[in-house]
Amino acid sequence: MGPDALKRAGHAFRYWEARQEAVAHNLANASTPGFKGERVFARLLEGVGVVPQGKVDLRGGGLSDTGRPLDLALDGDGFLVVETETGERLVRGGSFQLDATRTLVDAHGNPVQGDSGPIMLPEGEFEITPRGEVRVDGATVATLRIERPEENAKLWREGETQFRLDGDSVGVEEGEVKVRQGHLEDSNVDPVGSLVDMIEIQRAYSALQRSVLVVDGVMDRISNDLGRVK
């Protein structure tokens, strides 16, 4: 097998390996609330061959009723905003809690952002409306920031359910996204479909491997036979 063919075969192997890693990661997080699956596509580059290109599948998952007031999920295309040590990050919701200062934080202690910064809840009965208004004893104390990336912005996964935005975001229009208090968003990974993908990937990888071995054997045979010709 010539150098160019070996190079193309190597790229093809890396493509199938990348797909396998993505599907395995998806399956491992099929029950992680709010997880978004990774999709790997084949991109054909002239003079190179097939190369893998990944993209996060942002389609929404189903909503599960937990009955816990600090569990929040979004119904629609948007994200909540949390402030981390390295800047703002986007999340689809989660099991939030109140810290010692009664600030609304995520599982890592990152403050959830409202229209005027971190959301602090005074004592009293609170609710979060579908519009994202945070009310205590009937009075609105904050409104959740709900945003979506602009068209050309990119999202980079950090951890399992948190995203870093490369670009700008915009606020959503009223009614486009609803906040569901007492709910968590399910992973959007289809376990059965992912298992089927894994089987297809393994078959394709094995077929490619056999093809490379056959071609390599033929080329070796030709080389040896030509070497004996006088």
Side-chain angles (χ1 to χ4, degrees), residues 27 35 44 62 78 90 112 129 134 144 158 174 184 197 208 213:
L27 280 169
F35 179 81
L44 185 62
L90 303 181
V112 180
T129 71
V134 182
L144 290 167
E158 291 186 353
E174 185 175 338
L184 288 176
D197 286 345
L208 177 62
L213 290 173

Side-chain angles (χ1 to χ4, degrees), residues 25-37:
H25 188 237
N26 290 344
L27 280 169
N29 288 279
S31 60
T32 301
F35 179 81
K36 301 300 179 186

